């Protein structure tokens, strides 16, 4: 496996971890279990969800910046179908802004719950709202940049946008395992 394949593979793995945890978390939130159990699980999963979603947002933001630079250099000769790429970048930019805002609201609720300023009912409601937002907005969106990444990205591009390094890989795995442990059947 060459380095580009490794970086892309790691990003795909992290995104599959996010989908896995979010699906299990969503199922648990909709299970009708007692709020005190949901509180424990949600508090354990929130750090992973926030870490993974912010990481995804930064990666996609860097992809957009890098590809926008290709358009700016010389649209006709550097990038095939620059108008389509511009549209994709605009759409993704709007989605990223919504993601940052949703993460901010969710983190505020999480911090308030940890500090005791938000009761269990309010916290579970915030979790369900965040989960519904994720299902309605983020889960249905496809990554529209793949073909340009395949065509125009070199190793230096992948290194600067993937955010893959030993520390981040270990942190992602640690948080992922903690979330999975909390989601294990009781």
């Amino acid at each position: 496996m060459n380095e580009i394949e490794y970086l892309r593979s790691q990003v795909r793995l992290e995104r599959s971890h996010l989908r896995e945890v979010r699906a299990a978390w969503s199922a648990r939130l909709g299970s009708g279990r007692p709020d005190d159990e949901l509180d424990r699980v949600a508090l354990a999963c929130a750090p992973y969800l926030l870490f993974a979603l912010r990481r995804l947002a930064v990666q996609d933001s860097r992809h957009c910046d890098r590809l926008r630079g290709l358009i700016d250099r010389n649209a006709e000769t550097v990038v095939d179908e620059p108008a389509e790429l511009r549209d994709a970048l605009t759409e993704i930019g709007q989605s990223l802004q919504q993601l940052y805002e949703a993460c901010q609201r969710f983190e505020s609720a999480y911090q308030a719950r940890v500090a005791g300023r938000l009761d269990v009912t309010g916290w579970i409601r915030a979790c369900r709202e965040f989960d519904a937002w994720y299902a309605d907005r983020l889960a249905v969106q496809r990554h529209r940049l793949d073909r340009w990444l395949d065509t125009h990205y070199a190793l230096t591009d992948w290194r600067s946008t993937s955010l893959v390094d030993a520390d981040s890989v270990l942190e992602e795995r640690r948080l992922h395992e903690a979330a999975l442990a909390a989601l294990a059947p009781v």
Side-chain angles (χ1 to χ4, degrees), residues 46 50 54 95-113 118 122-123 125-127 129-134 137:
L50 288 164
R54 285 196 171 122
S95 294
L96 287 173
Q97 184 59 39
Q98 293 170 359
L99 174 57
Y100 286 125
E101 291 167 1
C103 283
Q104 183 59 45
R105 286 189 304 273
F106 184 56
E107 183 173 28
S108 292
Y110 171 69
Q111 295 297 335
R113 178 66 188 128
L118 183 62
W123 166 236
R125 182 176 38 256
C127 290
E129 288 170 4
F130 183 72
D131 185 58
W133 175 86
Y134 186 111
R137 303 290 173 126

Side-chain angles (χ1 to χ4, degrees), residues 157-174:
D157 299 309
W158 281 108
R159 283 179 179 160
S160 69
T161 59
S162 68
L163 306 175
V164 173
D165 59 49
D167 291 339
S168 65
V169 169
L170 292 173
E171 181 68 0
E172 190 274 339
R173 289 188 181 155
R174 183 187 69 76

